[in-house]
Amino acid sequence: MTPRRKNRKLDQWITFWSVPFFFNVFGLVFVPLSWMMPPRSPSASTAQIVAFMQSHNLLVACVLLTLTFGLAPVSNAVYLMQIKRMSVSPAFRYTLMMGAISGAVVGMLFPMFCFGLGAFRPGYSPAVLAMLYDFGYLAFIGSLGCFCVMWMAFGLAILLDKNNVLPKWLGYYTVWQYMTELMAAPVWINKSGPFAWNGLMTFWFTVVLYVSWQLVVYTCIYRSIKRQPATELDNADLYTATGDSSIGVTA
């Protein structure tokens, strides 16, 4: 019997290409729909906060994010599949998985619900709206711990891996990149200047580093998936059992 699915890496390619789709939706929600990003000033006036928090666009953005939120774990599976191939403890994979779960909650759901509440409940007092405004931005930009730990685990897994699944320089790059995330810690203290949540160092500098790092990571992961031997695939036995002898690197 000939198997129906010839592309043994279809599951990996689905998770891989879900990443740009998800981040495009994520960008659509946080920029043109809601204008939450770039971050508004933490020292904005009460009138400015109320006008922003009661925008109907926030409700539309909240609905769209709620519908596509499930793509977050799919996109994180890209990293987990690569770590699974490495000669390291499963603890690295579990650390990244749990960090991704907690990061999605505090860095995505909390901000969206905080901002969406302003439009959903127009009767809230300005003081309540100001609290939700602060809560939303501090959760989005100030939730450092889960992200630093999960990406530190990813970088260390690359460095300790003896199978050379991903290049060693990417491990050093990843560790360095997420050490710079610690610069966002002062957002809990500063309401103006380069270390406020909309500041040059805590937002703009780290965003440039993060985006460039993500592009490099996914280029390396793309090449790693292409190079992966069919004997490493979880569904390799199915094809071997059915008489398919084309064992090797498949696209």
Side-chain angles (χ1 to χ4, degrees):
M1 178 178 177
T2 303
R4 295 181 180 180
R5 195 182 73 179
K6 287 295 184 180
N7 188 345
R8 304 178 191 183
K9 298 178 182 177
L10 180 60
D11 50 354
Q12 293 196 66
W13 290 125
I14 289 174
T15 59
F16 180 86
W17 291 113
S18 73
V19 174
F21 177 77
F22 173 70
F23 276 103
N24 277 314
V25 174
F26 194 75
L28 179 66
V29 167
F30 280 86
V31 182
L33 275 182
S34 65
W35 289 113
M36 285 183 282
M37 296 292 144
R40 294 164 182 265
S41 173
S43 56
S45 67
T46 302
Q48 291 173 323
I49 293 175
V50 170
F52 166 66
M53 293 295 290
Q54 293 184 342
S55 169
H56 293 294
N57 288 349
L58 290 176
L59 278 181
V60 177
C62 184
V63 171
L64 182 58
L65 185 62
T66 301
L67 293 174
T68 57
F69 177 70
L71 288 175
V74 177
S75 63
N76 285 313
V78 171
Y79 303 99
L80 298 173
M81 287 180 177
Q82 296 307 310
I83 297 179
K84 186 179 180 181
R85 299 175 55 204
M86 298 178 185
S87 61
V88 295
S89 167
F92 290 95
R93 189 165 72 249
Y94 298 144
T95 299
L96 191 145
M97 180 171 62
M98 297 309 297
I101 293 171
S102 58
V105 172
V106 299
M108 187 188 309
L109 281 187
F110 279 6
M112 201 64 253
F113 282 119
C114 284
F115 294 130
L117 273 174
F120 186 72
R121 297 290 188 188
Y124 280 147
S125 68
V128 171
L129 293 177
M131 181 192 68
L132 293 173
Y133 178 85
D134 287 341
F135 186 9
Y137 272 123
L138 287 173
F140 187 81
I141 299 175
S143 52
L144 301 169
C146 49
F147 295 107
C148 286
V149 170
M150 66 181 282
W151 295 127
M152 193 67 68
F154 183 59
L156 291 176
I158 296 173
L159 293 175
L160 296 174
D161 174 39
K162 296 180 180 180
N163 295 335
N164 296 318
V165 173
L166 293 170
K168 298 299 180 188
W169 60 263
L170 181 63
Y172 290 109
Y173 185 17
T174 299
V175 172
W176 173 80
Q177 149 67 17
Y178 275 89
M179 287 299 291
T180 64
E181 287 291 308
L182 296 176
M183 286 190 296
V187 301
W188 293 90
I189 303 171
N190 295 278
K191 292 186 178 181
S192 61
F195 292 101
W197 71 46
N198 63 336
L200 176 64
M201 299 302 294
T202 54
F203 180 75
W204 294 104
F205 180 68
T206 54
V207 162
V208 170
L209 290 180
Y210 176 79
V211 171
S212 59
W213 171 80
Q214 278 281 20
L215 293 174
V216 171
V217 167
Y218 280 106
T219 299
C220 292
I221 288 180
Y222 176 84
R223 293 173 178 173
S224 180
I225 296 174
K226 293 284 287 186
R227 292 194 308 266
Q228 184 178 3
T231 50
E232 287 187 8
L233 301 175
D234 292 339
N235 57 2
D237 292 340
L238 168 65
Y239 285 86
T240 302
T242 54
D244 188 348
S245 60
S246 57
I247 302 298
V249 179
T250 57

